[in-house]
Amino acid sequence: MSSNINLIDSFQEFKDFKNIDRPTVITVLEEVFRSMIRKRFGTDENVDVIVNPDNGDLEIWRTRVVMEDGFSEDDDLEIELAEAHKYDADLEVGDDYIEQITLESFGRRAILAARQTLVSKILELEKDEVFKKYKDREGELVIGEVYQIWKKEILVLDEDGNELILPKTEQIPADYFKKGDSIRAVVHKVDMMNNNPKIIISRTAPEFLQRLFELEVPEIFDGLITIKKIVREPGERAKVAVESYDDRIDPVGACVGMKGSRIHGIVRELRNENIDVINFTTNNSLYITRALSPARITSIKLDDEHKTAAVYLKPDQVSLAIGRGGHNIKLAGKLTGYEIDVYRETDEEEEDVDIEEFADEIDSWIIDEFKRVGLDTAKSVLTLSEEELVRRTDLEEDTIREIVRILQAEFE
């Protein structure tokens, strides 16, 4: 009958650790048992701990030098001849006496303490491994399963059962998940809090959109097309600047796909977020023109020193340039790095009045609100219905009605 100690039988928790490589676990096991040996015998320098990583068996062998009777000075390192002969009559002075130590000989209390120490050490290692694993994966795509839903965040479990947190602030406004749903996101931030790894994932980060493009567009994954920059208003609109390293490849066409086949899946994942894919260029004027798509610009004046751009458009293009809620012009500014001001082009013969001329009748903050959405003349305001003006500016109906009355009086 073998007297080996089987760790998997004796320490059931050993089975439950999935994130620690076996050699590391073996090292921890050996250290735990050496600690037990030091407590019992005072030293472990004459003890060999042999761990079998394949089946979990452990053997402990203790070696002591055989001394003449009455000459042993340290019973932990030496054994007198008379005592040694009790176990092996052939031993002589100077020989090594080797004995196997059984787990049972340590006593139940020591075994329980060792188990507790082992579990504690491996849990610490497991947490460190999870932290390092995800710290190295920041910005990468992960897939998990929704486990629990709270008011401010969702708990997601990865394939190994590790906990990932998706805060409300990192969810697309139209996101809706229920327990058991599969969810895709990027690793956004990894920290250690109270000795526990806290892994924050995100669906609103620009990197999430980039990873989706890499999945859908082989040319991006292969490095033939590179994404220069992504800006987003999650769930509303995104702008993606792309560049091709192969003149034969149209980067925009490749990203969109035949009849939108490639981008359709991305849009669906992002809850119908509008995605504008544009060709990157170092020509700032052209870059801004492309960034304001789908609006068609008539002319543009740049101030490269102050990073401002004055953009002139036909009246029917202004609303396209601004976009719903001002998202289009805001994202174009973020993408290009320029502060963009939109101006309406009018025929010289057409009588119009700059809205600033009404400063004595209209509060300056109201004028600024109109200019913010590209309405910088009296007629540009009057061409829109009161309902549309309320929607664009967020001003009260009564305020809009009064402004319209003031502006109309100018042309009567």
Side-chain angles (χ1 to χ4, degrees):
M1 180 177 172
S2 171
S3 58
N4 293 355
I5 304 166
N6 188 280
L7 302 177
I8 293 179
D9 291 338
S10 301
F11 293 80
Q12 290 297 320
E13 296 86 348
F14 178 84
K15 302 178 187 176
D16 302 329
F17 301 105
K18 301 179 285 291
N19 293 304
I20 309 298
D21 60 272
R22 209 163 176 80
T24 302
V25 173
I26 298 304
T27 301
V28 172
L29 285 168
E30 184 176 337
E31 179 51 40
V32 167
F33 280 96
R34 284 194 174 277
S35 176
M36 290 174 65
I37 292 163
R38 286 192 294 270
K39 285 181 182 176
R40 180 176 172 188
F41 299 117
T43 180
D44 67 337
E45 63 183 73
N46 61 328
V47 176
D48 291 318
V49 178
I50 303 169
V51 179
N52 187 328
D54 296 321
N55 56 21
D57 282 349
L58 171 90
E59 297 179 14
I60 301 175
W61 297 93
R62 182 187 183 208
T63 302
R64 287 185 288 173
V65 179
V66 179
M67 305 291 290
E68 289 187 16
D69 293 341
F71 283 87
S72 175
E73 296 180 356
D74 187 344
D75 290 340
D76 291 324
L77 299 174
E78 300 166 345
I79 184 171
E80 293 186 354
L81 185 61
E83 186 181 352
H85 278 168
K86 293 177 184 179
Y87 309 105
D88 187 346
D90 296 331
L91 288 172
E92 297 178 1
V93 173
D95 288 346
D96 286 339
Y97 169 63
I98 302 172
E99 62 179 323
Q100 186 170 10
I101 310 297
T102 63
L103 178 62
E104 291 76 13
S105 67
F106 286 95
R108 183 173 176 274
R109 183 174 295 179
I111 293 171
L112 289 173
R115 179 186 285 118
Q116 189 173 351
T117 303
L118 172 64
V119 173
S120 176
K121 282 179 176 289
I122 293 186
L123 276 174
E124 284 181 23
L125 280 170
E126 189 176 47
K127 290 174 183 177
D128 287 342
E129 286 297 316
V130 172
F131 173 79
K132 286 189 285 187
K133 171 186 173 182
Y134 274 98
K135 194 67 178 175
D136 291 341
R137 293 187 64 190
E138 283 186 345
E140 288 187 18
L141 191 70
V142 289
I143 300 174
E145 182 179 304
V146 174
Y147 183 72
Q148 201 160 355
I149 300 171
W150 297 300
K151 187 175 181 181
K152 293 185 178 180
E153 60 190 23
I154 294 175
L155 176 62
V156 179
L157 300 183
D158 71 4
E159 58 184 4
D160 294 323
N162 297 314
E163 296 184 353
L164 316 175
I165 301 296
L166 178 62
K168 192 74 175 174
T169 54
E170 300 299 329
Q171 298 172 35
I172 297 168
D175 272 344
Y176 174 77
F177 298 104
K178 58 185 183 296
K179 184 178 172 65
D181 282 352
S182 179
I183 191 168
R184 291 201 287 184
V186 290
V187 181
H188 183 56
K189 189 178 181 184
V190 183
D191 289 317
M192 266 292 192
M193 296 188 67
N194 301 323
N195 254 2
N196 289 305
K198 185 172 184 180
I199 304 155
I200 304 296
I201 58 177
S202 172
R203 288 172 51 81
T204 62
E207 292 85 359
F208 182 51
L209 180 50
Q210 181 167 345
R211 298 296 168 249
L212 294 176
F213 266 104
E214 289 171 356
L215 284 177
E216 297 289 339
V217 185
E219 292 86 348
I220 292 178
F221 184 81
D222 294 337
L224 297 174
I225 295 174
T226 184
I227 295 177
K228 302 295 288 187
K229 192 171 184 180
I230 294 177
V231 290
R232 291 179 66 192
E233 286 289 332
E236 293 288 343
R237 197 176 200 107
K239 289 187 181 288
V240 184
V242 294
E243 186 177 33
S244 173
Y245 292 120
D246 189 332
D247 293 338
R248 296 168 298 177
I249 298 176
D250 168 22
V252 174
C255 291
V256 174
M258 188 73 68
K259 296 183 179 178
S261 58
R262 289 178 171 177
I263 207 167
H264 180 69
I266 299 174
V267 170
R268 188 168 57 246
E269 177 71 46
L270 300 183
R271 312 301 189 202
N272 295 320
E273 188 171 308
N274 288 316
I275 302 174
D276 300 327
V277 184
I278 67 170
N279 263 316
F280 175 78
T281 176
T282 54
N283 181 327
N284 291 328
S285 180
L286 179 57
Y287 194 30
I288 292 170
T289 300
R290 291 172 177 173
L292 282 171
S293 172
R296 296 190 301 275
I297 293 173
T298 304
S299 61
I300 183 169
K301 294 178 182 177
L302 295 184
D303 182 343
D304 291 324
E305 183 181 349
H306 297 98
K307 287 287 185 178
T308 59
V311 175
Y312 297 87
L313 309 97
K314 294 292 185 185
D316 62 339
Q317 296 298 304
V318 172
S319 60
L320 287 175
I322 301 297
R324 188 175 67 177
H327 294 314
N328 198 57
I329 193 168
K330 185 191 301 181
L331 289 176
K334 288 182 179 179
L335 189 72
T336 60
Y338 278 75
E339 184 179 334
I340 302 172
D341 293 315
V342 171
Y343 296 95
R344 178 185 301 265
E345 272 200 345
T346 55
D347 296 331
E348 289 185 9
E349 296 178 1
E350 183 184 352
E351 181 188 354
D352 203 352
V353 182
D354 192 302
I355 199 166
E356 292 278 6
E357 298 293 324
F358 296 89
D360 57 336
E361 296 180 81
I362 302 174
D363 290 340
S364 60
W365 67 271
I366 296 177
I367 292 174
D368 290 341
E369 179 65 13
F370 279 117
K371 290 175 69 178
R372 184 184 68 82
V373 295
L375 304 174
D376 51 4
T377 68
K379 287 195 172 180
S380 69
V381 175
L382 294 174
T383 53
L384 299 175
S385 67
E386 290 183 6
E387 291 78 9
E388 180 66 12
L389 290 170
V390 169
R391 189 183 69 80
R392 289 197 190 186
T393 62
D394 288 335
L395 294 171
E396 297 290 335
E397 286 185 25
D398 290 345
T399 303
I400 291 292
R401 200 171 291 119
E402 177 62 17
I403 299 301
V404 169
R405 184 192 65 76
I406 292 171
L407 299 181
Q408 284 176 336
E410 177 69 21
F411 300 100
E412 290 176 352

